[in-house]
Amino acid sequence: MTYSDRAQIALNLGGLIADGFIAVEAKDGQQVKNIGSDIMKLGKALGVSEQLLSRGNSINEFAEHNEWDTLQEELEATQNEVKSSMQSHADQDLIILVTLGGWIRGTQVVTGAITKNYSESAARALRQPALVRFLQSKVNEISPELRQELLVKHVSEQLTGIEKLVSFPEDKVPTVEDVRKINDAVGKLMTEIESKEPPK
């Protein structure tokens, strides 16, 4: 959790929030607490509000008492808190990266699960070219300085390849192999986002 680069912190924060929702779904209290504390650390590193810290205490409390519905709401409120707090710092660029990091991590988990327990209806839901194009268009709106950062540049380039992978025809159901290709692509991207080494 020792990222110094704000773009990388934002991408990882999005990934952590996605993990938080997954841990709530899995009803894994300890994991929720660990992720909650990491979200607070990264949030603080981005300079988001003090209110976020009291949310962290609530997350721990609800996880302690297995209050899963309330926990889901609290996590959504935390995500909104991060975004609205960043908005007041005019950090629109970072909000885009938080959202993108969440989508990449969520897609990694979902494609991993579908690869293990393949079903046609689940695989069909991976057809998301419009969503990836939308994310790409948002990345293109980021300030030129931030867009020139190696990691942001690389994530943006990789999105083009991922868009092709999720653009199968409407009448085609993705095979296990198609799903695995998407999983590999987002997995590689996630490794770079989490890496302490800058991308080559």
Side-chain angles (χ1 to χ4, degrees):
M1 291 300 142
T2 53
Y3 304 113
S4 54
D5 176 284
R6 284 170 70 76
Q8 189 173 25
I9 293 172
L11 284 161
N12 275 287
L13 184 55
L16 273 175
I17 291 170
D19 280 340
F21 284 112
I22 293 159
V24 170
E25 279 299 307
K27 299 194 160 104
D28 184 338
Q30 189 51 55
Q31 196 61 6
V32 169
K33 287 201 280 191
N34 298 346
I35 291 165
S37 115
D38 287 343
I39 288 172
M40 299 309 132
K41 281 181 202 147
L42 288 189
K44 263 176 99 173
L46 285 178
V48 299
S49 72
E50 284 303 303
Q51 278 167 289
L52 192 62
L53 301 179
S54 66
R55 291 232 177 262
N57 298 333
S58 310
I59 285 174
N60 282 346
E61 221 165 278
F62 296 136
E64 202 73 58
H65 298 101
N66 298 331
E67 295 174 42
W68 301 109
D69 289 345
T70 320
L71 203 43
Q72 178 98 21
E73 284 163 27
E74 196 61 19
L75 207 49
E76 278 168 24
T78 301
Q79 183 178 16
N80 293 333
E81 186 90 51
V82 167
K83 289 183 178 175
S84 65
S85 175
M86 282 162 75
Q87 235 148 6
S88 63
H89 288 86
D91 273 336
Q92 199 55 43
D93 290 354
L94 296 178
I95 294 173
I96 291 167
L97 294 177
V98 169
T99 305
L100 181 57
W103 181 82
I104 292 167
R105 177 64 181 135
T107 304
Q108 181 188 20
V109 172
V110 168
T111 51
I114 295 172
T115 304
K116 284 196 185 87
N117 299 297
Y118 179 80
S119 85
E120 286 195 355
S121 60
R124 212 183 281 275
L126 294 172
R127 186 180 180 283
Q128 299 182 326
L131 178 58
V132 181
R133 269 196 301 277
F134 173 74
L135 289 169
Q136 185 70 279
S137 73
K138 287 289 167 198
V139 173
N140 292 339
E141 289 170 17
I142 289 174
S143 67
E145 309 85 69
L146 201 56
R147 242 190 3 254
Q148 284 316 303
E149 284 198 20
L150 265 181
L151 180 62
V152 176
K153 225 170 159 176
H154 206 252
V155 168
S156 179
E157 284 162 8
Q158 296 302 309
L159 272 182
T160 309
I162 291 169
E163 185 191 330
K164 288 192 184 97
L165 293 175
V166 296
S167 296
F168 11 79
E170 278 187 60
D171 57 352
K172 180 185 185 289
V173 177
T175 63
V176 175
E177 195 43 47
D178 294 331
V179 178
R180 192 170 286 119
K181 280 180 190 161
I182 301 169
N183 182 256
D184 287 347
V186 288
K188 248 184 238 153
L189 209 44
M190 207 60 224
T191 303
E192 279 182 39
I193 288 169
E194 292 172 342
S195 170
K196 298 290 188 291
E197 300 296 316
K200 306 264 182 295

